[in-house]
């Protein structure tokens, strides 16, 4: 099937005359075409890689599913019907409905079918080749995010095919009642259909459909875990998995009260009879996109256990035991992954406690602990208190001295425990796959601290913040200085070697071995790659760091 698609794909290179203007933005790149068997022709264009200026082809905004709007809202995705006129795939498609980004878009961008967002973006240098495929799912709490943030300019330095997918988000992607009318887990089903599409069509883009690496960060990593354990993932649709700072066994990966959520949103939409499930479903199904987004603004999303289509029949912790997909796995986190949560907690806490000098470290830490309860059985609050806070610090109001402990507390609670919990569960299986574990420790010039909202209000820096490693994989904050570029090259080497061979490697780097026990070995990604023995050391990485004073902003008051 795949090789037939490859043979049938016809490529034309049509040179369109360069426009008269000298503005490089106005130079129209040559268009490139691929004929997708049973689907239609797509027309893409080209761009160049960041470090060696190689030309790559990009086919963006290719729809893989019918628009999940109207009758198809809250339904499993339906494969896109074939098209007869060539499809212009030379820009990103619509972002999936999401409030934060919508508030920043001009109103003219919010016309037409807003839900028609299930698209793939494909980057490749060669069409007649058999290159490893890297299939990326973006993060963003299952509520935000879109493909255009993920540029190919670094990864396409290597001979791979990059696929960046979009999937339904928030209320439209992850709410549900488990009934056939509104099963839930639509966003997950979207990624399954996209993987199916890759199996059918990626050969036409020079991709090897027997060498597909799924990777994702944050909620994208959680979805990666879900694809690993779901009995509904198309068989053999991927062959390696990278989960970055996102764990399917995290408490927040599942939505334990989906019916109550549907009822709440129904009330917020001011519909009637919201206690009746059928009426609530109708209400959500008919609501205009903007209304339903606003009505669900304060909701949180996770996978629904026991959905009608069986994508998540039982709790993920049990599904891990049952899965027989033994693909090599690379999992990890950033050194200060938790500072994103510490920042959000600080913002909220300041509202109720404007003067933190009258609040003890113990009160602040307890508040942080109660925001999210650990469900991995790795930790309990007393052990963490003993580990991170000496009694005299706990009873003081010296937040500055407690800062490294706050960092580690947030790191453990929000990311590190759940990631170790995920690999631990895999280790408990009779046959477990090779598992490589990393911690991304490099503090470069750029950071995602504060995300798009700024970070000036905080009395601390973000450290090696949540999603900082994406800066080095996806050209998220170009241009990078020379030192940061060296780290980006290492990241690309590690990720691509894992995709190609199942083993992460850098030239001249140390031999990186898979874990042989729940505790290690694992490796550090920094200016140099370093192998280490005990992953549990990372639970106190900030406290133990002799340079942790760098996290303080002495000029800011608490
Ligand atoms: C694309 O391929 C199909 C066969 O899969 C063929 O029928 C069709 O004519 C091709 N279209 C173009 C424009 O080459
Ligand atoms: C080429 O890539 C650069 C950097 O990612 C981007 O700014 C530019 O818009 C791209 N051009 C096209 C035609 O995609
Ligand atoms: C965590 O547990 C505490 C104590 O049982 C409870 O007060 C708090 O509401 C829980 N937090 C969450 C987010 O469930």
């Amino acid at each position: 099937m795949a090789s037939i698609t490859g043979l049938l794909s016809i490529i034309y290179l049509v040179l369109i005359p360069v426009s008269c203007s000298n503005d490089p933005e106005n130079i129209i790149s040559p268009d490139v075409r691929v004929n997708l068997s049973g689907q239609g022709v797509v027309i893409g264009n080209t761009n160049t890689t960041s470090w060696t200026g190689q030309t790559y082809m990009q086919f963006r905004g290719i729809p893989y599913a019918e628009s999940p709007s109207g009758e198809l809202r809250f339904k499993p995705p339906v494969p896109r019907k074939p098209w007869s006129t060539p499809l212009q795939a030379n820009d990103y498609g619509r972002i999936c409905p999401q409030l934060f980004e919508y508030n920043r878009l001009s109103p003219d961008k919010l016309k037409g079918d807003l839900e028609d967002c299930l698209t793939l973006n494909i980057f490749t240098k060669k069409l007649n080749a058999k290159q490893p495929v890297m299939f990326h799912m973006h993060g963003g709490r299952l509520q935000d995010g879109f493909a255009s943030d993920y540029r190919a300019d670094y990864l396409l330095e290597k001979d791979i095919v990059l696929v960046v997918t979009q999937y339904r988000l928030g209320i439209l992607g992850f709410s549900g009642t488990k009934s056939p009318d509104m099963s839930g887990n639509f966003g997950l089903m979207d990624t399954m259909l996209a993987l199916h599409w890759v199996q059918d069509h990626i050969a036409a883009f020079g991709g090897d459909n027997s060498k597909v690496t799924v990777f994702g960060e944050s909620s994208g990593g959680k979805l990666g875990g879900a694809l690993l354990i779901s009995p509904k993932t198309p068989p053999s649709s991927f062959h390696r998995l990278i989960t970055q700072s996102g764990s399917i066994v995290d408490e927040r990966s599942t939505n334990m009260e989906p019916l109550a959520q549907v009822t709440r949103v129904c009330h917020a939409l001011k519909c009637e009879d919201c206690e009746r499930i059928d009426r609530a479903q109708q209400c959500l199904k008919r609501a205009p996109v903007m209304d339903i987004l606003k009505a669900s603004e304060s909701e949180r999303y996770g996978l629904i256990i026991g959905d009608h289509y069986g994508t998540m029949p039982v709790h993920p912790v049990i599904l891990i035991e049952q899965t027989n997909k033994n693909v090599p796995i690379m999992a990890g986190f950033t050194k200060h992954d938790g500072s994103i949560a510490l920042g959000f907690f600080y913002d909220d806490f300041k509202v109720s406690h404007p003067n933190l000098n009258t609040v003890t470290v113990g009160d602040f830490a307890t508040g942080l602990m109660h925001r999210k309860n650990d469900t991995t059985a790795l930790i309990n609050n007393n052990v963490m208190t003993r580990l991170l806070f000496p009694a005299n610090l706990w009873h003081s109001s010296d937040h500055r001295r407690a800062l490294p402990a706050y960092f580690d507390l947030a790191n453990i609670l929000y990311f590190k425990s759940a990631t170790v919990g995920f690999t631990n569960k895999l280790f408990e299986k009779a046959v477990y796959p090779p598992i490589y574990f990393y911690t991304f420790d490099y503090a470069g010039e750029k950071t995602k601290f504060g995300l798009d909202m700024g970070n000036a209000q905080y009395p601390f820096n973000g450290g090696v913040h949540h999603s900082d490693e994406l800066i080095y994989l996806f050209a998220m904050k170009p241009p990078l200085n020379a030192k940061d570029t060296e780290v980006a090259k290492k990241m690309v080497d590690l990720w691509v070697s894992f995709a190609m061979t199942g083993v992460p490697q850098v030239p001249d780097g140390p031999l990186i071995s898979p874990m042989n026990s729940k505790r290690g070995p694992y490796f550090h990604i920094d200016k140099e790659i370093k192998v280490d023995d005990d992953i549990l050391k990372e639970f106190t990485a900030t406290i133990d760091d002799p340079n942790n004073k760098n996290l303080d902003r002495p000029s800011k008051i608490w």
Side-chain angles (χ1 to χ4, degrees):
M1 171 71 185
S3 59
I4 295 172
T5 319
L7 285 175
L8 286 181
S9 66
I10 300 171
I11 315 117
Y12 327 52
L13 286 169
V14 185
L15 275 166
I16 294 176
V18 169
S19 80
C20 302
S21 152
N22 283 330
D23 180 357
E25 294 290 302
N26 282 336
I27 294 175
I28 300 165
S29 68
D31 78 3
V32 280
R33 293 177 178 232
V34 169
N35 186 358
L36 299 173
S37 109
Q39 199 72 72
V41 172
V42 289
I43 305 178
N45 56 9
T46 64
N47 209 330
T48 52
T49 62
S50 285
W51 302 324
T52 61
Q54 297 176 65
T55 299
Y56 63 82
M57 290 166 262
Q58 47 184 7
F59 301 87
R60 293 173 295 171
I62 304 176
Y64 63 90
E66 290 293 306
S67 175
S69 58
E71 276 313 300
L72 291 182
R73 185 186 282 180
F74 302 130
K75 286 285 185 296
V78 173
R80 192 75 164 202
K81 287 194 210 70
W83 48 86
S84 48
T85 43
L87 187 108
Q88 292 293 335
N90 48 24
D91 205 352
Y92 293 95
R94 274 186 187 287
I95 67 172
C96 285
Q98 50 192 289
L99 205 53
F100 182 75
E101 195 61 24
Y102 272 11
N103 286 337
R104 299 159 21 127
L105 289 179
S106 63
D108 62 298
K109 289 252 172 9
L110 296 173
K111 296 206 175 106
D113 182 0
L114 298 177
E115 287 161 274
D116 193 4
C117 65
L118 300 182
T119 54
L120 293 169
N121 305 278
I122 300 176
F123 306 88
T124 179
K125 288 186 301 207
K126 286 173 251 167
L127 298 177
N128 292 311
K130 247 187 149 193
Q131 306 166 99
V133 178
M134 298 184 75
F135 177 92
H136 186 76
M137 297 173 297
H138 66 76
R141 307 179 298 158
L142 301 179
Q143 243 169 301
D144 305 291
F146 38 85
S148 63
D149 266 351
Y150 299 79
R151 301 275 170 171
D153 305 15
Y154 299 167
L155 284 167
L156 264 286
E157 291 286 349
K158 306 281 179 184
D159 296 338
I160 58 141
V161 177
L162 175 66
V163 181
V164 181
T165 192
Q166 293 194 153
Y167 53 90
R168 276 175 276 178
L169 300 169
I171 189 81
L172 297 168
F174 292 97
S175 69
T177 62
K178 312 188 192 189
S179 78
D181 290 331
M182 192 181 176
S183 171
N185 299 346
F186 310 109
L188 174 62
M189 285 192 251
D190 294 342
T191 65
M192 290 174 178
L193 182 61
L195 277 173
H196 207 291
W197 193 102
V198 164
Q199 280 301 304
D200 286 349
H201 297 297
I202 207 65
F205 298 92
D208 180 352
N209 70 354
S210 69
K211 213 176 254 186
V212 178
T213 299
V214 163
F215 68 133
E217 188 262 355
S218 201
S219 51
K222 294 178 178 181
L223 287 177
L227 289 170
L228 180 77
I229 63 180
S230 172
K232 295 296 173 189
T233 304
S236 308
S237 58
F238 70 96
H239 315 92
R240 320 194 195 294
L241 171 65
I242 307 176
T243 66
Q244 304 168 216
S245 305
S247 163
I248 187 64
V249 304
D250 185 281
E251 175 208 21
R252 291 188 172 187
S253 294
T254 45
N255 181 350
M256 297 311 277
E257 293 183 328
L259 275 92
Q261 180 172 65
V262 167
T263 307
R264 267 195 311 274
V265 175
C266 174
H267 282 302
L269 281 164
K270 304 206 164 47
C271 292
E272 281 170 8
D273 289 337
C274 290
E275 309 305 322
R276 279 184 52 189
I277 282 300
D278 56 334
R279 299 296 289 268
Q281 285 175 174
Q282 277 306 314
C283 166
L284 268 61
K285 193 153 194 150
R286 291 187 185 141
V289 169
M290 265 322 221
D291 294 356
I292 198 172
L293 288 181
K294 285 182 182 147
S296 60
E297 195 174 0
S298 57
E299 297 294 328
R300 264 212 299 270
Y301 300 93
L303 294 165
I304 294 172
I305 297 164
D307 61 307
H308 174 74
Y309 295 100
T311 61
M312 205 49 59
V314 290
H315 195 278
V317 167
I318 301 166
L319 275 183
I320 291 183
E321 288 159 22
Q322 297 170 357
T323 180
N324 52 14
K325 289 191 215 74
N326 276 310
V327 303
I329 290 170
M330 184 156 77
F333 40 63
T334 72
K335 184 173 180 177
H336 305 120
D337 240 336
S339 61
I340 184 169
L342 180 62
F344 289 141
F345 177 68
Y346 176 86
D347 289 335
D348 288 353
F349 201 79
K350 273 295 255 197
V351 174
S352 48
H353 305 79
N355 184 359
L356 283 182
N357 290 323
T358 62
V359 173
T360 66
V361 165
D363 287 338
F364 186 87
T366 303
L368 186 55
M369 284 190 218
H370 280 178
R371 239 167 110 98
K372 178 171 183 304
N373 294 320
D374 180 63
T375 48
T376 58
L378 272 173
I379 44 176
N380 77 39
N381 293 350
N382 287 316
V383 172
M384 273 198 298
T385 303
R386 167 75 184 99
L387 189 67
L388 304 174
F389 300 93
N392 67 356
L393 179 60
W394 184 260
H395 295 299
S396 80
S397 294
D398 193 347
H399 301 293
R400 231 174 263 290
R401 189 157 66 90
L403 184 61
Y406 291 157
F407 264 73
D408 280 333
L409 180 60
N411 289 338
I412 296 170
L413 270 179
Y414 282 83
F415 297 99
K416 294 190 177 180
S417 165
T419 306
V420 172
F422 174 60
T423 55
N424 275 3
K425 287 310 289 184
L426 289 166
F427 253 102
E428 282 161 17
K429 293 162 61 70
V431 182
Y432 56 81
I435 304 167
Y436 297 88
F437 206 121
Y438 71 86
T439 169
F440 182 82
D441 294 348
Y442 180 70
E445 183 189 10
K446 313 268 173 87
T447 175
K448 304 271 284 182
F449 185 35
L451 303 178
D452 296 326
M453 294 158 285
N455 63 44
Q457 75 272 33
Y458 298 115
F460 45 84
N461 292 311
V464 187
H465 190 260
H466 186 59
S467 64
D468 273 1
E469 86 281 17
L470 297 177
I471 294 171
Y472 307 90
L473 275 178
F474 288 107
M476 272 198 173
K477 290 181 178 278
L480 297 181
N481 66 32
K483 239 172 76 188
D484 291 1
T485 301
E486 287 312 304
V487 173
K489 288 180 177 168
K490 286 200 164 67
M491 280 299 282
V492 167
D493 280 332
L494 288 167
W495 262 236
V496 171
S497 59
F498 181 75
M500 287 184 168
T501 67
V503 180
Q505 274 177 303
V506 290
D508 309 322
L511 175 71
I512 299 170
S513 304
M515 302 174 96
N516 55 35
S517 85
K518 287 183 179 177
R519 295 180 71 160
Y522 71 110
F523 64 106
H524 296 266
I525 305 171
D526 206 332
K527 283 192 289 290
E528 302 301 328
I529 308 298
K530 266 200 352 245
V531 173
D532 210 339
D533 55 356
D534 182 7
I535 191 67
L536 296 187
K537 288 197 285 196
E538 297 307 315
F539 283 14
T540 52
T542 322
I543 292 185
D544 297 338
D545 180 355
N547 297 320
N548 63 19
K549 289 267 182 302
N550 295 343
L551 297 171
D552 192 12
R553 284 180 176 167
S555 62
K556 300 256 171 183
I557 53 154
W558 269 79

